[in-house]
Amino acid sequence: MALNAPIRGGRGACLAASLATLASLALPAAPARAEVTRFEVLSREAPALGGREFGTRGAAEKITARATIALDPNDPRNAVIADIGLAPRNAEGRVEAVTDVVILRPARPGGTLLFEVLNRGRKLLPGWAQDGDGAGSIRLERPEDAGNGFLLEQGHTLVWAAWQIDSPTGPNLPRLQVPTVPGVTGPSREEFSFEDAATPKRVTLSYPAADRASARLTVRDRTDLDRATPEGLALRFIDDATVEIDRPAGAAPGALYEITYTARDPKVSGMGLAAIRDVTAFLRREGGPANPLARDGRSGIDRAIGLGISQSGRALRDLLYFGMNEDEAGRIVFEGAMPIIPGARRSFTNARFAQPGRNPGPQYDRLFPVLAFPFTYPVTEDHLSGKRDGILLRCRLSNTCPKVIQMDSEFEFWGSQASLLVTDTRGNHLDMPDDVRLFLLSGAPHGNPFDAVARPSAACALPLNPVNGGPALRALIVAMEDWVREERAPPASRYPMRGQGTLVPAAQVYPAIPGLPYRGQYARAELVEQAAPLPRVRGEYPLFLPRAGLDGNAVAGLRLPLLEAPRATYVGWNAQKGAEGPQELCTQVGGVLPLPATRAEGRAAADPRPSLEELYPSPGAYEAAVRAATQRLVAERMLLPADAEAAVAAAREGRLARLAP
């Protein structure tokens, strides 16, 4: 488990820009309602990406900048930010934060700004949508870093701005600076896990301790076990924010160490959501020379789409929930919002002593307030707490709701409580409003393995799931642009539903399939009360899982050609080896189980799934089945023609199923 890194000073090469240049590019004195008060261009690289051309759009330009936002804490649009009223203010009575900004756009851009909410400082969208590798997506320096170039060929202006107070530090990782509220104290909690056996372990707390004597340390080998304080377990403070953990003899690798303590000086973390709002509003609305996108008094941007993947998809749902899709002048910020693989969760961002980096799942961080009502977009009632709320409630009141397309992987149903998107808190069927579309990427893991095949895992029972969601995401981005620009409605939702019989209790998901180690394990959904020293569970919400067909693949959802013409069962979960607990899954990965080769082999194993021999009786039958599937998906706008051609070619060459030789 990655530790949450504190904010550190230093901006690398960005600070090398001359003060004179920065002053000439800074925004002049701001009008009363402007919240970006300074936009400093630190560097402009044109052409970028080694001069690579992107079709008719030409070469790309890369802009690195720094934006200062100054918020009026009395404005209702800002008052929702936790602790902003207690934060230090500037001479104008405003609360300031500074965020790093990166912009990438082609020489001949279209009018759409595509803002990706960073994931722990990382740019994921270039890799996901352009079939690139992770390092290149973060770097964006070499020609190959743009992958297949899809986003730039579409003409999109790509924007990233830091929003997370505890994101890691490193090259090409934008940073956010927010104020600290001095003198405020309160309970805080940490969880750490270590894969090696070394002791002691030195770790950094998210916030400094106000009272070192208040700190308590426990350990448990697995998250479903009780907390313990065995002999040899000890905690020492190096300073108020740094501690050493003595590990007891015999502690399991991966054991969970939990620290509770009284913390001080919280950061105004929710200003990160305002940074997303205000940087986007500035770049799309400001026509003056301070906006590096502007020409002749116009920004050149007439539509904006916000997109976030995983943790950043959860943060995007938070931005909507807290009403921050409305800018300082009451205008809409994003016409379209695309949370990708968030499940029913949000983030621990807009709260006192927030830790946005926390990722509750089957293994760790389970009681941090990430899964919290409301879970879904329309207004519903929580029968456990009595609250009525919805993610889109605030923007409905201000008429600033975006069109929403959310795509989840199949893992989100096992690890991220995704069924709560389409049920009420009692488990009854729930329909979505007309401006929301939901898509399950059937058979997919939480991540996006590129150019991979199923490989065995030392920790997981099944080989790792190799399904890549790039083709689905590209089709949905095109559908979203059509929706916000042309008012052309996207395809109907493709998501498991109780009312359609495709979302079922855990015991009803699969037929009995030999070799599939299914034990109905999934991360539970609990109403957690954030109390000191430890959170308390006050109740549990019912969850449901996608029903599989006889081939073991989910029957609902956006089924890519490798599921429509299957050679294997692809599942979004994977069992841990030797772990029998009700929530003990391999985190974020799925599994794969090839179909039997022949009918005789299947019958001998009592396997109910069809064999390859039965599905594809002639040499060209498999390619023909894939071709037919791609034609259907293209007609339904669920696959782009170029990706359809690539799928047929991969089937012909034996690569589509992504199975190890």
Side-chain angles (χ1 to χ4, degrees):
M1 173 182 178
L3 304 183
N4 293 311
I7 293 178
R8 305 222 182 261
R11 298 280 175 172
C14 292
L15 290 180
S18 71
L19 293 176
T21 301
L22 298 185
S24 69
L25 293 171
L27 185 66
R33 301 189 67 84
E35 294 187 350
V36 172
T37 56
R38 188 174 181 86
F39 196 90
E40 305 167 288
V41 174
L42 305 177
S43 66
R44 300 185 77 140
E45 183 184 356
L49 299 168
R52 178 177 168 182
E53 298 274 332
F54 296 92
T56 60
R57 300 292 182 175
E61 178 185 30
K62 182 180 178 182
I63 300 169
T64 302
R66 182 182 302 130
T68 300
I69 64 172
L71 307 185
D72 178 359
N74 298 316
D75 187 322
R77 301 178 184 92
N78 300 324
V80 70
I81 298 171
D83 286 334
I84 193 169
L86 302 176
R89 307 185 187 193
N90 65 14
E92 288 75 37
R94 297 190 169 217
V95 182
E96 292 187 342
V98 180
T99 180
D100 293 342
V101 182
V102 178
I103 302 170
L104 186 68
R105 64 173 182 167
R108 290 177 284 280
T112 298
L113 184 153
L114 183 53
F115 186 108
E116 184 195 3
V117 184
L118 292 161
N119 181 302
R120 294 173 174 81
R122 301 170 299 169
K123 310 172 192 76
L124 298 186
L125 180 60
W128 272 66
Q130 298 184 153
D131 293 341
D133 65 59
S137 296
I138 295 170
R139 188 173 54 228
L140 293 180
E141 294 174 353
R142 306 170 186 171
E144 64 270 22
D145 292 348
N148 62 28
F150 169 78
L151 296 169
L152 293 168
E153 289 177 357
Q154 295 291 304
H156 295 318
T157 295
L158 307 177
V159 178
W160 298 269
W163 66 274
Q164 181 188 341
I165 61 169
D166 58 0
S167 63
T169 58
N172 298 306
L173 299 180
R175 300 290 296 155
L176 172 72
Q177 295 176 339
V178 300
T180 293
V181 182
V184 171
T185 64
S188 189
R189 189 168 64 92
E190 307 279 354
E191 291 185 9
F192 300 104
S193 181
F194 315 105
E195 293 304 319
D196 60 29
T199 188
K201 283 291 188 179
R202 182 170 293 192
V203 297
T204 301
L205 303 176
S206 297
Y207 296 91
D211 176 13
R212 296 187 184 186
S214 69
R216 299 290 183 270
L217 172 66
T218 64
V219 65
R220 54 194 190 275
D221 283 353
R222 309 197 70 82
T223 191
D224 279 322
L225 301 178
D226 292 334
R227 298 172 177 86
T229 55
E231 183 178 354
L233 180 70
L235 181 70
R236 286 184 304 281
F237 277 87
I238 306 303
D239 56 43
D240 283 350
T242 309
V243 298
E244 280 190 344
I245 296 172
D246 286 337
R247 303 168 70 183
L256 185 63
Y257 295 83
E258 186 174 36
I259 303 171
T260 60
Y261 67 107
T262 300
R264 60 175 170 84
D265 303 342
K267 295 181 174 68
V268 189
S269 174
M271 289 187 75
L273 301 178
I276 298 170
R277 176 194 69 188
D278 295 338
V279 167
T280 302
F282 171 80
L283 290 173
R284 70 168 298 181
R285 306 286 190 191
E286 173 59 44
N291 183 355
L293 305 184
R295 297 290 185 276
D296 301 323
R298 296 181 179 274
S299 71
I301 301 295
D302 58 14
R303 296 291 186 277
I305 297 170
L307 185 147
I309 298 173
S310 188
Q311 177 220 25
S312 46
R314 297 189 279 114
L316 184 58
R317 281 165 52 89
D318 261 338
L319 181 138
L320 299 179
Y321 175 64
F322 288 111
M324 291 192 182
N325 200 44
E326 177 185 9
D327 74 8
E328 63 274 8
R331 301 166 299 194
I332 194 168
V333 177
F334 296 117
E335 280 84 7
M338 300 186 69
I340 306 300
I341 58 174
R345 304 183 301 161
R346 291 187 281 116
S347 68
F348 186 18
T349 299
N350 189 25
R352 180 170 291 179
F353 295 112
Q355 298 179 46
R358 292 296 177 178
N359 180 35
Q363 291 298 317
Y364 306 110
D365 293 352
R366 196 176 289 171
L367 297 180
F368 284 90
V370 168
L371 181 75
F373 182 83
F375 309 112
T376 189
Y377 295 98
V379 173
T380 61
E381 180 175 317
D382 180 1
H383 76 284
L384 293 180
S385 69
K387 297 178 181 177
R388 284 187 61 81
D389 210 344
I391 289 175
L392 297 182
L393 175 60
R394 285 183 173 90
C395 67
R396 293 280 187 235
L397 298 175
S398 61
N399 196 30
T400 55
C401 285
K403 296 173 171 63
V404 177
I405 292 179
Q406 177 167 328
M407 182 180 79
D408 284 312
S409 77
E410 198 173 301
F411 173 83
E412 268 55 70
F413 283 87
W414 273 267
S416 302
Q417 300 89 11
S419 70
L420 288 170
L421 280 171
V422 290
T423 70
D424 64 19
T425 61
R426 296 182 184 272
N428 300 309
H429 173 87
L430 192 66
D431 287 319
M432 290 296 104
D434 290 341
D435 54 359
V436 174
R437 295 289 192 277
L438 303 178
F439 294 91
L440 164 67
L441 184 56
S442 305
H446 179 78
N448 195 46
F450 171 65
D451 199 23
V453 297
R455 299 291 186 192
S457 165
C460 307
L462 290 170
L464 299 183
N465 187 310
V467 175
N468 176 278
L473 182 57
R474 287 189 283 273
L476 292 179
I477 289 174
V478 170
M480 175 59 89
E481 173 133 23
D482 287 346
W483 201 8
V484 301
R485 187 167 291 283
E486 309 294 340
E487 291 293 333
R488 183 187 184 193
S493 293
R494 296 192 176 193
Y495 211 77
M497 297 278 188
R498 294 285 287 154
Q500 298 171 358
T502 53
L503 196 61
V504 297
Q508 300 175 18
V509 174
Y510 296 104
I513 298 175
L516 192 71
Y518 181 67
R519 297 189 293 271
Q521 297 167 301
Y522 57 90
R524 286 2 186 203
E526 297 167 328
L527 173 60
V528 179
E529 181 183 79
Q530 296 301 314
L534 291 170
R536 292 191 290 265
V537 175
R538 290 183 47 203
E540 187 171 328
Y541 303 103
L543 293 179
F544 303 90
L545 303 168
R547 182 171 67 83
L550 286 178
D551 62 3
N553 291 306
V555 297
L558 198 172
R559 291 165 43 104
L560 291 172
L562 82 171
L563 260 73
E564 287 288 274
R567 300 185 73 87
T569 293
Y570 300 90
V571 297
W573 55 272
N574 206 326
Q576 290 183 46
K577 290 180 179 177
E580 301 293 334
Q583 305 184 72
E584 303 292 357
L585 290 173
C586 283
T587 298
Q588 299 185 345
V589 302
V592 61
L593 184 68
L595 296 177
T598 65
R599 183 181 182 186
E601 178 185 319
R603 285 190 168 185
D607 194 330
R609 300 177 299 163
S611 66
L612 298 177
E613 177 183 67
E614 294 167 291
L615 289 172
Y616 315 112
S618 64
Y622 175 57
E623 182 181 338
V626 171
R627 186 179 300 278
T630 62
Q631 290 172 347
R632 289 193 303 272
L633 288 166
V634 169
E636 295 162 352
R637 299 168 60 206
M638 292 282 87
L639 192 67
L640 301 180
D643 286 317
E645 295 174 8
V648 173
R652 184 183 310 121
E653 297 165 8
R655 298 182 289 105
L656 181 65
R658 292 173 165 252
L659 301 177

